[in-house]
Amino acid sequence: MSFLFNKHNHFNLANIVTFFNIASGVFAIYFLTHHEFFAAALFAWLAGGFDIFDGKIARKYNLSTQFGIQLDSYADFLSFVIVPAMFIFFAVIDTKEPFLFMPLVVFAFVYYVISGLRRLIQFNINADEGKVEKFFTGIPTPLGAILLWVVYLIFLTGFISETFVLLMMILIGYLLNSKIKIPHL
């Protein structure tokens, strides 16, 4: 079991927790494609929990490596960029495409995904093993996912339209790469 605390083993404890984040994202996608939104949301939130703990474990046990940094960003891309975008598509947009302005639909989804990917790549370029900055520049992808979740909950109340959801998706995509400073907890 010493491999769990070996910094150079790709299956150390921190990375295993990140793999659970990835698995949770995959399960969320599975449930989204079957229109099981409650189960999808549970796995998306579970992915968020794993994302919190993988970094804490890596720092506590000195397991932070370039491999782990890259792995964490791939997990974040899946769980906090792709899953929320798919959630909005399947829960809000799906079957309503004939009634919506399709260039806006396409732009919102492509822009959000590219914005999330760009944010994670820039984060990796600036990341140092074992270091945690006091502030994030731009909103982190997990916060972007939470903001999309809040938009979805407001949509369920009937107070906002599908078009407004798409506009919020574009705004959140912009905030991912903005200059706004968010304290690191």
Side-chain angles (χ1 to χ4, degrees):
M1 297 297 266
S2 64
F3 71 92
L4 290 175
F5 300 97
N6 180 345
K7 181 177 187 165
H8 303 291
N9 189 309
H10 289 173
F11 295 95
N12 66 44
L13 185 59
N15 291 344
I16 287 173
V17 173
T18 304
F19 290 132
F20 279 114
N21 175 348
I22 293 167
S24 296
V26 170
F27 280 116
I29 290 170
Y30 170 82
F31 286 113
L32 284 171
T33 61
H34 289 81
H35 296 279
E36 298 286 340
F37 301 122
F38 183 76
L42 285 177
F43 277 101
W45 283 98
L46 190 58
F50 288 126
D51 185 56
I52 290 168
F53 288 113
D54 65 0
K56 290 187 183 306
I57 290 168
R59 286 184 293 281
K60 181 176 181 172
Y61 296 107
N62 191 29
L63 298 173
S64 185
T65 63
Q66 280 301 312
F67 178 83
I69 290 169
Q70 299 300 320
L71 181 65
D72 185 67
S73 282
Y74 285 110
D76 287 358
F77 182 67
L78 175 70
S79 296
F80 308 124
V81 177
I82 298 298
V83 167
M86 288 182 70
F87 197 98
I88 295 296
F89 179 80
F90 282 106
V92 177
I93 304 301
D94 197 22
T95 73
K96 297 173 187 148
E97 295 94 342
F99 309 105
L100 296 170
F101 183 60
M102 283 311 292
L104 177 63
V105 172
V106 171
F107 178 77
F109 283 93
V110 170
Y111 181 75
Y112 184 81
V113 169
I114 289 172
S115 294
L117 182 60
R118 185 212 171 273
R119 195 242 178 309
L120 290 165
I121 290 169
Q122 189 63 53
F123 180 82
N124 283 1
I125 289 170
N126 297 335
D128 290 329
E129 289 178 21
K131 271 187 143 179
V132 177
E133 299 296 325
K134 290 185 179 185
F135 293 93
F136 290 105
T137 301
I139 64 171
T141 55
L143 180 55
I146 291 168
L147 292 174
L148 276 180
W149 174 252
V150 170
V151 169
Y152 168 70
L153 292 177
I154 295 169
F155 170 78
L156 289 179
T157 68
F159 287 120
I160 60 175
S161 68
E162 292 86 356
T163 301
F164 190 79
V165 170
L166 293 170
L167 294 173
M168 291 304 296
M169 199 172 182
I170 293 167
L171 175 62
I172 294 166
Y174 170 79
L175 291 173
L176 291 172
N177 293 292
S178 68
K179 299 296 181 196
I180 190 170
K181 298 284 186 187
I182 304 288
H184 190 278
L185 301 176

